[in-house]
Amino acid sequence: MIYLHIPFCKQKCSYCNFHFSTSFRGKDDMLQALKKELRLRKDELENKTLKSLYFGGGTPSVLTGDEIKGLFDEILKYYSFADDIEITLETNPDDLDAAFVKELASTPVNRLSVGTQSFFDEDLKLMNRAHNASEADASIKRAQDFGFENISIDLIYGSPTSSLVMWKENLNRAVALEVPHISSYALTVEPKTALENWVRTQKITAPAEEEQNEEFYYMCDFLKNNGFEHYEISNFAKPGFHSRHNAAYWQYEPYLGIGPSAHSYDGGSRRSWNIANNALYVKNLEAARLPAESEILKEKDRFNELLMIGLRTVWGVDMKKLNDSFNPEIVHRFSLDVESKINEGILRVKDNRLVIPEEHWFMADGIASDLFII
Ligand code: SF4
């Protein structure tokens, strides 16, 4: 599978610490550099038939239809697409006007991830999103009118501008739109963001954990009652609409990450990541150099990652895989900790898989890190 990072956004959302630029001046050079990286790394993936292709960012929907088609042309020089390939493009509601959606519908993109976040203007203003509440709604309907069925929307809960009543309404609106996939995250105060600055200078109050907790569990019940499977802490899908791209990450399949800040994984113990700087990325590619660093994961790092990722999902961690793939001493130490957590009811073994019961999912990262091998 391939991930393509499009590092441009119209404006900076107040909570975001991803890599992107709000200046589009270098867009053409960036597109050339992305194509060059695809060419230089064309032999890295053994499997030349792609099951998943993901345009993420940044905001890939700031590209024109022709620019997206140009990237497809380059990709198709080196790979073919599996019949059931999932091709996702992240979009923002303000970009999804009729002309752009029509263009998109003429490309191989077959899944849209829409950065809706909220259907309330007060939330969107605090988040400094480029769209308003009416665009949030209209953009999804428009995409559906042009034939996109496989749509995921992102929603953020726990904003200081929101309340449980508003959150319930957000979920009602999402369900009424009949989208088959929802990704939902708690508003988090990340370092070096406007949100952090506002909290520090007491311009706003920090998101309250108790409220986030309440909204999270309300969402779990509500979406389950509306036909969604809660398959990962932050992800809910109607049957047959799990994100295959994310599922492949969680199952440790190899992937190629193209673009500034993109990460790659060889399926074994090597990870690499590109430089998170647009100008330097382009400059290096112009000189046919790959601006990447890499690391070889130690056994304990692989073990801890497997726990961290697996315990966030409904599939949990495969105990047989742990026993078969890791040093028995590591597995033994881990088993002792697991036993006490099972006695506390925080962990459960189901079909030889270690899972966190859903009622403890809000604390999953803490539970997994308690089990880390250090
Ligand atoms: S559009 Fe997405 S990537 Fe861009 S600033 Fe907002 S949250 Fe971050």
Side-chain angles (χ1 to χ4, degrees):
M1 65 183 189
I2 294 182
Y3 170 82
L4 258 130
H5 191 81
I6 309 299
F8 299 105
C9 292
K10 281 186 187 161
Q11 61 192 56
K12 188 169 173 44
C13 300
S14 61
Y15 55 89
C16 179
N17 67 351
F18 290 169
H19 171 69
F20 63 89
S21 162
T22 49
S23 161
F24 289 14
R25 256 178 311 158
K27 195 164 75 153
D28 288 347
D29 291 340
M30 177 59 68
L31 287 168
Q32 291 313 316
L34 292 172
K35 290 176 188 169
K36 194 149 181 188
E37 189 185 358
L38 278 163
R39 185 160 74 243
L40 290 173
R41 300 180 67 190
K42 66 182 170 44
D43 296 323
E44 272 187 44
L45 282 183
E46 226 170 86
N47 190 347
K48 299 290 179 227
T49 307
L50 297 180
K51 286 196 297 189
S52 170
L53 175 58
Y54 194 103
F55 293 85
T59 313
S61 56
V62 299
L63 299 181
T64 64
D66 281 345
E67 287 167 341
I68 293 168
K69 285 175 190 160
L71 288 168
F72 273 115
D73 289 344
E74 190 68 26
I75 293 164
L76 284 166
K77 285 182 191 167
Y78 318 115
Y79 306 93
S80 60
F81 292 164
D83 291 343
D84 60 348
I85 186 172
E86 176 185 277
I87 305 178
T88 306
L89 188 109
E90 286 183 354
T91 61
N92 276 343
D94 46 303
D95 293 325
L96 289 175
D97 60 27
F100 182 65
V101 180
K102 193 174 170 202
E103 276 280 286
L104 267 187
S106 70
T107 71
V109 171
N110 58 20
R111 182 173 184 269
L112 298 182
S113 168
V114 186
T116 309
Q117 316 310 355
S118 172
F119 294 98
F120 287 93
D121 279 327
E122 45 270 64
D123 293 341
L124 296 170
K125 271 192 193 130
L126 177 91
M127 295 173 196
N128 197 35
R129 298 290 304 182
H131 66 280
N132 58 36
S134 65
E135 284 171 318
D137 205 79
S139 59
I140 295 159
K141 289 185 182 143
R142 198 172 296 125
Q144 289 167 327
D145 288 346
F146 276 95
F148 284 100
E149 283 174 12
N150 195 353
I151 295 178
S152 175
I153 65 172
D154 288 350
L155 290 176
I156 292 182
Y157 58 94
S159 166
T161 44
S162 189
S163 64
L164 184 59
V165 174
M166 285 164 72
W167 179 237
K168 287 181 180 177
E169 180 55 20
N170 265 329
L171 292 169
N172 280 330
R173 301 276 285 274
V175 166
L177 283 165
E178 298 186 349
V179 290
H181 191 279
I182 295 173
S183 296
S184 184
Y185 303 90
L187 185 68
T188 309
V189 183
E190 301 287 354
K192 296 187 189 155
T193 58
L195 197 63
E196 188 210 24
N197 183 34
W198 296 337
V199 168
R200 194 166 17 87
T201 55
Q202 299 183 342
K203 224 170 139 187
I204 60 164
T205 49
E209 201 180 314
E210 232 171 72
E211 280 166 29
Q212 292 191 334
N213 202 345
E214 194 181 9
E215 291 178 3
F216 173 78
Y217 285 113
Y218 176 82
M219 166 174 66
C220 298
D221 287 341
F222 180 81
L223 292 181
K224 220 184 296 167
N225 292 335
N226 281 281
F228 286 83
E229 186 191 2
H230 190 186
Y231 70 103
E232 197 261 357
I233 293 185
S234 311
N235 288 287
F236 301 81
K238 289 271 177 77
F241 286 95
H242 298 108
S243 158
R244 278 190 245 150
H245 192 81
N246 285 347
Y249 280 141
W250 303 328
Q251 273 145 37
Y252 280 78
E253 292 187 21
Y255 55 87
L256 194 62
I258 300 291
S261 81
H263 285 232
S264 302
Y265 175 56
D266 72 353
S269 55
R270 184 175 177 275
R271 248 179 224 301
S272 63
W273 55 94
N274 285 343
I275 191 165
N277 179 306
N278 286 6
L280 288 176
Y281 171 82
V282 168
K283 207 170 155 200
N284 274 281
L285 264 305
E286 279 171 356
R289 279 194 304 265
L290 292 173
E293 287 181 66
S294 66
E295 67 174 350
I296 301 295
L297 295 172
K298 296 195 186 93
E299 187 175 21
K300 72 174 173 52
D301 297 330
R302 283 193 297 118
F303 186 88
N304 293 344
E305 246 188 56
L306 200 117
L307 281 188
M308 183 56 105
I309 293 171
L311 289 177
R312 291 174 61 95
T313 70
V314 74
W315 305 289
V317 174
D318 183 344
M319 301 290 275
K320 185 173 177 318
K321 189 169 178 183
L322 285 188
N323 280 313
D324 292 349
S325 324
F326 293 95
N327 181 327
E329 199 195 314
I330 287 187
V331 179
H332 177 68
R333 267 161 57 201
F334 167 74
S335 313
L336 299 177
D337 289 340
V338 163
E339 217 171 284
S340 74
K341 294 237 181 295
I342 289 176
N343 293 336
E344 286 171 50
I346 292 171
L347 284 177
R348 194 176 285 161
V349 178
K350 198 177 150 201
D351 302 330
N352 210 24
R353 290 180 162 270
L354 192 65
V355 291
I356 298 179
E358 195 190 15
E359 62 267 27
H360 296 294
W361 271 20
F362 198 65
M363 308 301 293
D365 289 352
I367 297 170
S369 58
D370 278 354
L371 296 168
F372 278 3
I373 301 293
I374 32 180

